[in-house]
Amino acid sequence: MVPTASGSKYLQQLCKHWQHNLEVEFTPERGTVTFPRDARGADWPGDGVVTMIAHPDTLECRIDASADGQLDGLKGALARHLDRFAFREAPLTFDWA
Protein backbone atom coordinates (compact mmCIF):
# COMPACT_ATOMS: atom_id res chain seq x y z
CA MET A 1 0.00 0.00 0.00
CA VAL A 2 1.21 3.46 -0.92
CA PRO A 3 -0.42 6.38 0.88
CA THR A 4 -1.64 8.87 -1.75
CA ALA A 5 -4.91 10.52 -2.70
CA SER A 6 -3.80 10.39 -6.35
CA GLY A 7 -3.66 6.62 -6.78
CA SER A 8 -5.95 6.53 -9.81
CA LYS A 9 -3.96 9.26 -11.56
CA TYR A 10 -0.63 7.53 -10.96
CA LEU A 11 -2.02 4.11 -11.90
CA GLN A 12 -3.24 5.45 -15.25
CA GLN A 13 -0.03 7.35 -15.98
CA LEU A 14 2.09 4.32 -15.21
CA CYS A 15 -0.08 1.97 -17.28
CA LYS A 16 -0.04 4.37 -20.25
CA HIS A 17 3.74 4.65 -19.94
CA TRP A 18 4.27 0.88 -19.89
CA GLN A 19 1.67 -0.02 -22.53
CA HIS A 20 4.14 0.97 -25.26
CA ASN A 21 6.38 -2.01 -24.43
CA LEU A 22 4.37 -4.38 -22.23
CA GLU A 23 1.00 -6.10 -22.02
CA VAL A 24 -1.20 -3.72 -20.01
CA GLU A 25 -4.88 -3.61 -19.06
CA PHE A 26 -6.32 -0.80 -16.98
CA THR A 27 -9.30 1.23 -15.86
CA PRO A 28 -9.17 4.29 -13.57
CA GLU A 29 -9.53 1.92 -10.60
CA ARG A 30 -7.35 -1.08 -11.51
CA GLY A 31 -4.37 -1.87 -13.70
CA THR A 32 -2.27 -4.92 -14.53
CA VAL A 33 1.10 -4.95 -16.24
CA THR A 34 2.80 -8.15 -17.38
CA PHE A 35 6.60 -8.23 -17.50
CA PRO A 36 7.69 -11.11 -19.75
CA ARG A 37 9.98 -13.70 -18.21
CA ASP A 38 12.64 -12.83 -20.79
CA ALA A 39 12.36 -9.02 -20.62
CA ARG A 40 15.68 -7.21 -21.07
CA GLY A 41 17.56 -10.47 -21.55
CA ALA A 42 16.35 -12.05 -18.30
CA ASP A 43 15.55 -15.73 -17.96
CA TRP A 44 13.03 -15.96 -15.10
CA PRO A 45 10.93 -19.09 -14.63
CA GLY A 46 7.74 -17.13 -15.45
CA ASP A 47 6.29 -13.72 -16.19
CA GLY A 48 6.01 -11.07 -13.49
CA VAL A 49 2.67 -9.31 -13.01
CA VAL A 50 2.11 -5.98 -11.28
CA THR A 51 -1.45 -5.24 -10.18
CA MET A 52 -2.46 -1.80 -8.92
CA ILE A 53 -5.78 -0.90 -7.31
CA ALA A 54 -6.64 2.73 -6.57
CA HIS A 55 -8.40 3.43 -3.27
CA PRO A 56 -9.42 6.91 -2.02
CA ASP A 57 -6.28 7.35 0.15
CA THR A 58 -3.92 4.62 -1.09
CA LEU A 59 -2.62 2.84 -4.14
CA GLU A 60 -2.52 -0.90 -3.55
CA CYS A 61 0.38 -2.50 -5.42
CA ARG A 62 0.77 -6.25 -5.76
CA ILE A 63 3.61 -8.03 -7.50
CA ASP A 64 3.44 -11.68 -8.52
CA ALA A 65 6.91 -12.87 -9.46
CA SER A 66 8.43 -16.23 -10.27
CA ALA A 67 11.71 -15.69 -8.35
CA ASP A 68 13.06 -13.52 -5.54
CA GLY A 69 15.37 -11.60 -7.88
CA GLN A 70 12.50 -10.85 -10.24
CA LEU A 71 10.40 -9.65 -7.29
CA ASP A 72 13.16 -7.32 -6.09
CA GLY A 73 13.66 -5.94 -9.61
CA LEU A 74 9.94 -5.28 -10.08
CA LYS A 75 9.67 -3.61 -6.66
CA GLY A 76 12.49 -1.27 -7.65
CA ALA A 77 11.05 -0.54 -11.09
CA LEU A 78 7.59 0.16 -9.69
CA ALA A 79 8.91 2.43 -6.92
CA ARG A 80 11.18 4.42 -9.27
CA HIS A 81 8.45 4.94 -11.85
CA LEU A 82 5.79 5.88 -9.31
CA ASP A 83 8.17 8.35 -7.65
CA ARG A 84 8.83 9.89 -11.06
CA PHE A 85 5.11 10.39 -11.74
CA ALA A 86 4.43 11.47 -8.15
CA PHE A 87 7.37 13.87 -7.99
CA ARG A 88 5.40 16.35 -5.85
CA GLU A 89 4.90 13.62 -3.22
CA ALA A 90 8.10 11.64 -3.75
CA PRO A 91 9.57 9.66 -2.32
CA LEU A 92 6.43 7.64 -1.75
CA THR A 93 6.27 5.22 1.17
CA PHE A 94 5.82 1.59 0.14
CA ASP A 95 4.47 -0.85 2.70
CA TRP A 96 5.41 -4.17 1.08
CA ALA A 97 3.73 -7.15 2.74
Side-chain angles (χ1 to χ4, degrees):
M1 294 289 232
V2 179
T4 180
S6 301
S8 177
K9 175 183 172 182
Y10 300 148
L11 175 159
Q12 292 177 75
Q13 286 178 309
L14 193 51
C15 286
K16 287 175 185 176
H17 172 74
W18 274 333
Q19 76 180 357
H20 299 290
N21 305 6
L22 301 168
E23 180 183 324
V24 175
E25 293 180 18
F26 71 99
T27 67
E29 298 81 28
R30 182 184 180 90
T32 59
V33 182
T34 301
F35 292 82
R37 60 179 291 285
D38 59 354
R40 296 187 173 209
D43 189 22
W44 301 113
D47 295 344
V49 178
V50 172
T51 303
M52 296 170 283
I53 302 170
H55 300 282
D57 296 324
T58 59
L59 178 61
E60 181 180 343
C61 300
R62 176 186 171 139
I63 299 173
D64 293 297
S66 62
D68 289 341
Q70 184 184 36
L71 176 62
D72 291 340
L74 291 175
K75 281 182 181 179
L78 181 60
R80 282 190 309 276
H81 281 80
L82 277 174
D83 277 346
R84 189 177 316 146
F85 290 120
F87 64 92
R88 289 183 180 92
E89 295 183 69
L92 294 172
T93 304
F94 286 81
D95 182 15
W96 298 109

